[in-house]
């Protein structure tokens, strides 16, 4: 998501959410609850205090009536698969601000979301042109995450209807630590950076090879995103480094829970 994504329809009336933020009692509790992989918890240990403070601030905001997105169990979803299995990093900006859309993975939307966010539609168009993969009817990118694609937003929460509202809240220190951990771990690994905000993070990624292009937003997709072939280029980098390619084809439909 980026700040150019705005709610697609009138926001529904919020329902009270008292679910605890899974990082409020530290990373050991988040690992025990299945929210964070153990090796990611080790990598994020230097910013554990920041995360506990973030949980307190989010709770304060929620108590004041702000609706926090995504749902608390999904906030750390990008860290739920092992760091050791990471193969591609795709950086986003912040979660979709429309309630019921964001799911804790950058650019990914909950399976029931219709219509799809506009940036994601453009990602699917490029996916099809680049790889020939059919375009799914849903926006759930979990199948990529399951293969080691780290779908990480720069900022991991947002206020409903207010894109970019949690920038400078403190998440940047957490995602800085995540990028440092990826750089230290090394390859086979490739980073896909769409847009200037993501590309500004390139120095933090050290030796990781980078695929950079315009953002898939409707405002910029025709100025360098379309035709950039990020998916096949990422696979070429992985194979060249001795790794296995990603199967970028997504299930055409997500089974109902």
């Amino acid at each position: 998501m980026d700040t150019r994504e705005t709610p697609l329809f009138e926001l529904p009336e919020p329902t009270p959410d008292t679910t605890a933020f899974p990082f409020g009692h530290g990373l050991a509790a988040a690992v025990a609850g299945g929210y964070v992989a153990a090796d990611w918890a080790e990598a994020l240990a230097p910013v554990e205090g920041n995360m506990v403070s973030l949980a307190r601030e989010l709770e304060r905001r929620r108590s004041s009536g702000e609706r926090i997105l995504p749902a608390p169990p999904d906030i750390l979803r990008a860290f739920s698969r092992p760091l050791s299995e990471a193969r591609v990093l795709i950086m986003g900006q912040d979660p979709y601000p429309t309630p019921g859309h964001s799911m804790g993975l950058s650019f990914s939307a909950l399976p029931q979301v219709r219509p799809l966010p506009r940036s994601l539609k453009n990602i699917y168009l490029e996916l099809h042109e680049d790889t020939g993969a059919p375009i799914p009817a849903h926006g759930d990118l979990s199948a990529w995450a399951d293969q080691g694609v780290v779908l990480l937003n720069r900022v991991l929460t947002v206020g409903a209807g207010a894109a970019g509202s949690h920038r400078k809240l403190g998440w940047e220190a957490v995602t800085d630590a995540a990028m440092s951990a990826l750089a230290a771990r090394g390859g086979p690994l490739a980073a896909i950076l769409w847009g200037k905000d993501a590309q500004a993070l390139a120095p933090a990624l050290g030796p990781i090879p980078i695929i950079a292009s315009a953002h898939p937003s409707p405002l910029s997709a025709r100025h360098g995103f379309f035709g950039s072939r990020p998916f096949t280029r990422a696979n070429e980098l992985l194979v060249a480094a001795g790794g296995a390619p990603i199967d970028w084809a997504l299930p055409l439909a997500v089974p109902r829970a």
Side-chain angles (χ1 to χ4, degrees), residues 1-2 5 69-70 75 92-98 101-108 153-159 162-164 166:
M1 157 78 199
D2 81 316
E5 290 282 2
L69 303 176
I75 292 172
Q93 293 182 24
D94 61 349
Y96 296 120
T98 301
H101 280 209
S102 57
M103 59 180 296
L105 301 175
S106 62
F107 297 102
S108 185
N153 280 316
R154 178 64 164 149
V155 173
L156 301 187
T157 57
V158 70
H166 288 188

Side-chain angles (χ1 to χ4, degrees), residues 94-140:
D94 61 349
Y96 296 120
T98 301
H101 280 209
S102 57
M103 59 180 296
L105 301 175
S106 62
F107 297 102
S108 185
L110 286 164
Q112 69 273 17
V113 169
R114 303 290 187 281
L116 296 181
R118 290 164 290 181
S119 291
L120 183 55
K121 285 183 179 179
N122 288 337
I123 290 170
Y124 281 173
L125 289 173
E126 180 62 19
L127 173 69
H128 176 70
E129 290 299 316
D130 185 15
T131 69
I135 296 175
H138 62 87
D140 186 350

Side-chain angles (χ1 to χ4, degrees), residues 126 193-195 199 211-217 219-230 233:
E126 180 62 19
L193 304 181
W194 289 324
Q199 289 159 26
I211 298 164
S213 77
H215 195 275
S217 161
L219 297 175
S220 55
R222 298 190 182 281
H223 300 283
F225 173 73
F226 289 134
S228 63
R229 299 178 52 247
R233 288 167 66 195

Side-chain angles (χ1 to χ4, degrees), residues 183-195:
R185 199 218 68 178
L189 182 65
I192 297 175
L193 304 181
W194 289 324

Side-chain angles (χ1 to χ4, degrees), residues 34-40 73 76-83 105 145-146:
Y35 300 107
V36 176
D39 57 355
W40 269 119
L76 300 182
R77 196 164 179 175
F79 303 129
S80 63
R81 283 83 169 177
L83 168 61
L105 301 175
D146 290 340

Side-chain angles (χ1 to χ4, degrees), residues 31-106:
V31 172
Y35 300 107
V36 176
D39 57 355
W40 269 119
E42 182 178 355
L44 296 174
V47 292
E48 182 174 26
N50 304 63
M51 297 175 75
V52 172
S53 297
L54 277 162
R56 288 198 293 264
E57 173 62 15
L58 293 172
E59 185 57 55
R60 184 193 69 78
R61 288 172 173 244
R62 186 166 65 176
S63 298
S64 299
E66 183 176 355
R67 189 171 182 183
I68 307 297
L69 303 176
D74 289 334
I75 292 172
L76 300 182
R77 196 164 179 175
F79 303 129
S80 63
R81 283 83 169 177
L83 168 61
S84 61
E85 297 177 5
R87 294 196 281 161
V88 175
L89 169 67
I90 298 180
M91 285 298 302
Q93 293 182 24
D94 61 349
Y96 296 120
T98 301
H101 280 209
S102 57
M103 59 180 296
L105 301 175
S106 62

